[in-house]
Amino acid sequence: MKIAFFDRDGTIIEDYPDEKWSFITQPEFIPGAIETLQQVMQKGYKIIIITNQYLINEGYISLQQYEEINKKMMEELTRHNVEILDVFYCPHSRQEGCDCCKPQTGLIQQAIEKYPAINLNESFIIGDSIVDMELAIRMNIVGYGINVEVPDEGKDVYKIGKVIEVLEYID
Ligand SMILES: [Mg+2]
Ligand SMILES: [Zn+2]
């Protein structure tokens, strides 16, 4: 099973400064994101979202707020025939030293445990943050960083300008 691991905030829906998240009730989709997800599915990938939500344990949003945004996002994606296999999130604060806050590898490990058929060699990670690319490097997965300066030395991580540009790279 080949997986497209998508970051959520800043990749599928808009991201905001931490303080502003407290007031967000509606996900705003990033232009091209839904089409990208549709096309990625067409290419035979299953989609898993992996998202750092330190906003929860750092008190910017409640778990309920997180779930509400996620639910609305999923409903909109369903309307566009996008199937999300699963969402794995890290609720921990950055001070907690958990093993799932990207670039820690816990979210991917959780995904592999739940779906042992995942083949990382055929999978990729896409995100708008350096932590997404560091995670790709740690897990030896191909990475696509949206406006992220990626380390070049022989690593399989590539800088793209917009989420939809990933379609030019994948089979
Ligand atoms: Mg992001
Ligand atoms: Zn965590």
Side-chain angles (χ1 to χ4, degrees), residues 7-15 50-52 102 126-132 146:
D7 168 50
R8 195 191 79 174
D9 303 339
T11 301
I12 299 175
I13 59 173
E14 295 289 350
D15 200 1
I50 48 174
T51 176
N52 279 359
K102 299 179 286 183
I126 179 168
D128 70 320
S129 162
I130 186 68
V131 299
D132 298 304
I146 304 162

Side-chain angles (χ1 to χ4, degrees), residues 34-45 167 170:
I34 292 177
E35 191 189 339
T36 305
L37 290 162
Q38 290 169 334
Q39 297 283 334
V40 165
M41 279 176 65
Q42 293 253 318
K43 289 173 187 279
Y45 291 86
L167 298 174
I170 61 173

